[in-house]
Amino acid sequence: MNEQLAILLALAVLALSIYRQMRTRPVGEGRALVLPLVLIALGAAQGHLVDGDHAALSIWLLAGELVVGVVLGLVRAYTMRIWRDESGRLWRRGTPWTIAAWIVAIATRAGFVAAGISAGVALETGSILIFFGLSLVVQAVAVVARARSTAPPAAATVKA
């Protein structure tokens, strides 16, 4: 996959993810992990994640980027509003804090790119796909874990 296509794919997935997270949706949709896992696979398949001329630095940048992606996925998961309806079904919806967390994620990713470029590291676009994919996987798993701890609705009192 060429760089322009990878960047376009990352931007499209980012826009779709933010849009979907700001809508009321059921928790634990079966396909929630499909797109993020595809992103990770595409990013890894591109290869060239490490600059051979600056191997140590590019490995540190990639590792740092992935750690930050995990942390920001967790942060976004905790910005989501999660509730049960009267029938016991779990729902979730992003809040303004979710948007703020996305802005921080994008700015952080840009910071890693700027640091790499200033150090002379040849960056490939595969890492952006892995960054967003991993961050989305962590967010989805954390939202489901949070939802499971949500108390079930109180049982209706039966009057005799």
Side-chain angles (χ1 to χ4, degrees):
M1 176 183 309
N2 69 30
E3 284 190 44
Q4 291 83 12
L5 183 58
I7 291 170
L8 185 61
L9 176 62
L11 289 173
V13 168
L14 178 63
L16 177 65
S17 295
I18 292 171
Y19 170 77
R20 290 175 55 118
Q21 288 178 18
M22 297 310 293
R23 297 180 48 104
T24 300
R25 301 179 60 88
V27 172
E29 297 170 303
R31 62 188 188 279
L33 296 177
V34 173
L35 186 57
L37 291 174
V38 168
L39 283 178
I40 293 169
L42 286 173
Q46 277 189 285
H48 307 292
L49 296 173
V50 175
D51 179 354
D53 295 334
H54 302 90
L57 181 56
S58 64
I59 289 169
W60 277 106
L61 283 171
L62 180 61
E65 195 173 347
L66 297 180
V67 167
V68 168
V70 167
V71 169
L72 290 172
L74 287 171
V75 168
R76 283 194 318 275
Y78 282 89
T79 66
M80 304 289 288
R81 180 172 175 253
I82 298 173
W83 71 96
R84 278 188 200 269
D85 63 14
E86 299 78 28
S87 68
R89 188 165 186 193
L90 287 163
W91 296 90
R92 58 120 178 115
R93 182 183 182 121
T95 66
W97 288 110
T98 309
I99 295 290
W102 270 114
I103 292 168
V104 169
I106 294 164
T108 302
R109 169 66 179 139
F112 275 101
V113 170
I117 290 171
S118 70
V121 175
L123 298 171
E124 296 291 329
T125 54
S127 65
I128 192 170
L129 298 176
I130 295 171
F131 174 83
F132 284 125
L134 179 63
S135 189
L136 288 167
V137 164
V138 169
Q139 181 182 356
V141 169
V143 164
V144 169
R146 278 189 61 214
R148 286 187 180 148
S149 68
T150 302
T157 306
V158 178
K159 294 184 180 182

